[in-house]
Amino acid sequence: MEFFFHCLQTTLVAAEFPGGVVIGADSRTSTGTYVANRVSNKITRITDSVYCCRSGSAADTQALADIVSYRMAMHEIEMGRPAAVRTVANTFREMCYQYRDDLMAGILCAGYDRTHGGQIYSLPIGGMMVRQKVASGGSGSTYIYGYLDSNYKPDFTAEQCVDFIRKGVSLAIHRDGSSGGVCRVAIITANGVERRTFTGDQLFVPQ
Amino acid sequence: MRFTTSTMDLMPLQASQPFDPSKYRYTGPNVQPRQLPNTRSQAPITTGTSVIGLQFDGGVMIAADKLGSYGSLARYQNIGRLMRVNDHVILGCTGDYADFQFLRDIIDQKMIDEECLDDGIVTRAPALHCWLTRVLYNRRSRFDPLWTTFVVGGLDDDGKPFLGFVDKLGTAYTAPQIVSGMGGHLATPLLREKMDGQPPLSEAAARELLIRCMTVCYYRDCRAFSKFQIATLKAGSIKIEDDLEVKGDWEVAHFSKEHA
């Protein structure tokens, strides 16, 4: 359960590499200043090839993710093929925009489809949708805009991209009180999804 | 609240029924009118700054930078705020980007409907300007504004250049130069100085003037960005140039003494 002031807790980062996307998040859920869950999972499956990172109100984003996941499951049955990432993102966007005055949800929707490869769609509060190669969200993201801007290269390998994301989340955790715990990462490619968790020493800590 | 929809809704019940294209119209999210009592208008979240438009001899030109600001954070640096509506109308949008995307999808569907009707009538700039005014005024009257300002450009029915302004209150007017956002204070005097009482500008002169105004806005508007687009509409053609950048002249920095 999240109790929010005006900022969004959490650090979310996502980056594209040729062949897929890597998305990462921290694992702290806070109620005011108390850490309600120190190992939460903010990377949520929507379909087998599209995942989302959630920031903002835990209740709002969980409800949205459940609804979009259900609609996309129906869509996939009817279409007979996996949903396009943009379709999932647009479904999120319709609801985020329609209920913009009632929701507090910032979502990164990322995945892989055969038509356009790896894609990341940023859906900030307010209900707009924009595709980005590198996207970030949550309160911790403000501390790492400089890091992300200066270190991203479009031709990363998957492992380099994971490293880039891991360092980004770690640096944000280092400075943002609302982010913490472990760094969870998901790599989404044509071969499916691989999830990893980086704990303790595996996080990057600046000297 | 309708959360679930299915493509099964679109399939004809019997194979013998004709294909009904109207079922495939995009109707947009079901944005319900706000229930009263309510005195709060929404606040814009991700916003775009100035849009500058001017008429030249034979057409109109509109420019806008490519930034979506999240408060003071320059968050989305590659978003287009100019839109080609159809072969005869271009527009640019200041203000909340989500509201712009919402209206953009609805306008796109209107253009598809018009093409399907195929009756020889096309929406020109004055018509779209009028429609936008009614939409924005209606939302304002319900205390639920679309927090956007539009600059609509094109040629009117007589082939003369048309440039119109509509803001979130439904205030609308037309002028030879229209600037929305903070650029209204910065660029309007520059445009009027060059255009008032003069013969219409050539396209090249108009483009140069527009770039000069974008430069001034970049110098003086905290929420401006160096990358911008220009859309040019002449009889029979629309061109949107995408990868333009303000360089600016910072030599004056070397002239200042120690402080201030």
Side-chain angles (χ1 to χ4, degrees):
Chain A
M1 254 295 285
E2 272 181 23
F3 173 81
F4 57 88
F5 302 96
H6 292 290
C7 66
L8 306 173
Q9 292 79 8
T10 287
T11 305
L12 312 172
V13 196
E16 250 184 66
F17 66 94
V21 296
V22 180
I23 54 180
D26 73 313
S27 69
R28 174 173 289 184
T29 305
S30 42
T31 313
T33 49
Y34 175 69
V35 179
N37 185 352
R38 65 185 172 100
V39 287
S40 51
N41 184 2
K42 302 180 190 180
I43 302 179
T44 305
R45 176 193 173 282
I46 305 294
T47 71
D48 283 342
S49 52
V50 182
Y51 277 61
C52 78
C53 294
R54 306 177 289 111
S55 70
S57 156
D60 287 349
T61 54
Q62 282 172 10
L64 277 173
D66 285 347
I67 292 167
V68 174
S69 186
Y70 163 76
R71 284 182 66 174
M72 290 299 102
M74 283 300 292
H75 183 75
E76 288 188 340
I77 290 171
E78 289 159 3
M79 293 293 125
R81 60 168 189 246
V85 186
R86 197 185 167 99
T87 307
V88 182
N90 208 44
T91 313
F92 264 116
R93 185 254 293 225
E94 277 198 355
M95 268 184 292
C96 288
Y97 182 76
Q98 190 175 342
Y99 298 104
R100 65 182 289 173
D101 300 319
D102 306 306
L103 293 174
M104 177 73 94
I107 293 177
L108 292 184
C109 183
Y112 182 91
D113 63 47
R114 278 182 42 199
T115 328
H116 296 290
Q119 300 147 71
I120 301 164
Y121 291 92
S122 183
L123 299 125
I125 299 176
M128 71 176 255
M129 174 180 92
V130 66
R131 180 176 174 189
Q132 294 183 287
K133 282 194 150 33
V134 186
S136 60
S139 59
S141 67
T142 54
Y143 303 97
I144 52 171
Y145 272 103
Y147 169 78
L148 296 176
D149 284 341
S150 56
N151 287 70
Y152 175 72
K153 294 188 183 26
D155 56 356
F156 277 152
T157 63
E159 286 306 320
Q160 288 172 327
C161 207
V162 171
D163 214 44
F164 169 71
I165 298 278
R166 175 182 62 92
K167 280 201 183 133
V169 175
S170 306
L171 286 168
I173 287 175
H174 191 62
R175 288 292 186 177
D176 180 27
S178 311
S179 301
V182 307
C183 170
R184 297 198 193 275
V185 150
I187 310 158
I188 310 175
T189 60
N191 302 329
V193 180
E194 186 198 331
R195 305 200 57 156
R196 295 190 205 166
T197 302
F198 299 102
T199 63
D201 283 348
Q202 294 167 319
L203 292 174
F204 170 80
V205 179
Q207 300 309 314
Chain B
M1 283 187 275
R2 228 176 106 81
F3 285 125
T4 62
T5 160
S6 162
T7 49
M8 301 288 275
D9 295 338
L10 302 170
M11 286 171 58
L13 290 172
Q14 295 157 14
S16 60
Q17 282 188 357
F19 174 76
D20 183 6
S22 68
K23 288 223 175 83
Y24 289 84
R25 285 187 75 253
Y26 174 67
T27 47
N30 292 323
V31 185
Q32 303 294 339
R34 191 190 290 271
Q35 305 299 326
L36 294 174
N38 168 68
T39 54
R40 185 177 64 85
S41 306
Q42 58 164 275
I45 310 283
T46 305
T47 55
T49 185
S50 327
V51 173
I52 308 179
L54 52 70
Q55 295 178 6
F56 61 89
D57 188 20
V60 297
M61 213 178 269
I62 303 184
D65 67 21
K66 300 191 68 177
L67 180 66
S69 299
Y70 194 75
S72 64
L73 171 64
R75 193 166 181 187
Y76 301 105
Q77 300 182 351
N78 197 24
I79 59 170
R81 298 189 291 113
L82 300 181
M83 175 190 177
R84 176 194 166 281
V85 172
N86 59 22
D87 288 336
H88 310 276
V89 189
I90 49 178
L91 62 78
C93 178
T94 292
D96 189 80
Y97 197 71
D99 286 343
F100 169 56
Q101 286 188 326
F102 167 67
L103 269 179
R104 186 172 61 184
D105 290 344
I106 291 186
I107 292 173
D108 280 340
Q109 182 61 56
K110 263 174 91 66
M111 295 303 121
I112 292 174
D113 290 346
E114 192 172 279
E115 244 189 85
C116 290
L117 275 178
D118 199 21
D119 56 4
I121 296 175
V122 287
T123 301
R124 293 191 188 275
L128 189 72
H129 179 242
C130 185
W131 178 81
L132 269 176
T133 309
R134 300 271 55 81
V135 168
L136 290 173
Y137 183 73
N138 178 253
R139 290 289 299 257
R140 159 266 193 200
S141 302
R142 288 194 263 129
F143 286 99
D144 185 16
L146 291 163
W147 208 285
T148 49
T149 305
F150 285 95
V151 177
V152 181
L155 302 174
D156 66 15
D157 293 320
D158 300 323
K160 296 211 302 292
F162 171 95
L163 210 52
F165 169 102
V166 199
D167 74 0
K168 63 179 178 291
L169 302 175
T171 314
Y173 62 90
T174 64
Q177 60 279 115
I178 301 264
V179 187
S180 61
M182 188 174 167
H185 297 100
L186 301 167
T188 308
L190 298 174
L191 294 168
R192 286 185 182 158
E193 178 193 37
K194 282 281 184 297
M195 291 175 69
D196 276 0
Q198 312 281 352
L201 297 172
S202 68
E203 186 185 340
R207 189 167 182 281
E208 205 185 299
L209 182 55
L210 201 56
I211 292 178
R212 179 164 169 245
C213 288
M214 290 299 292
T215 307
V216 170
C217 286
Y218 177 61
Y219 289 154
R220 296 292 182 176
D221 181 358
C222 288
R223 306 282 176 264
F225 190 59
S226 55
K227 295 206 174 65
F228 67 101
Q229 299 173 305
I230 295 183
T232 310
L233 185 149
K234 297 185 286 207
S237 79
I238 294 182
K239 181 177 62 165
I240 300 191
E241 298 165 74
D242 201 14
D243 278 320
L244 303 164
E245 192 170 354
V246 170
K247 288 283 184 268
D249 180 2
W250 300 92
E251 284 307 304
V252 71
H254 299 299
F255 296 157
S256 59
K257 299 234 167 113
E258 289 194 5
H259 35 228

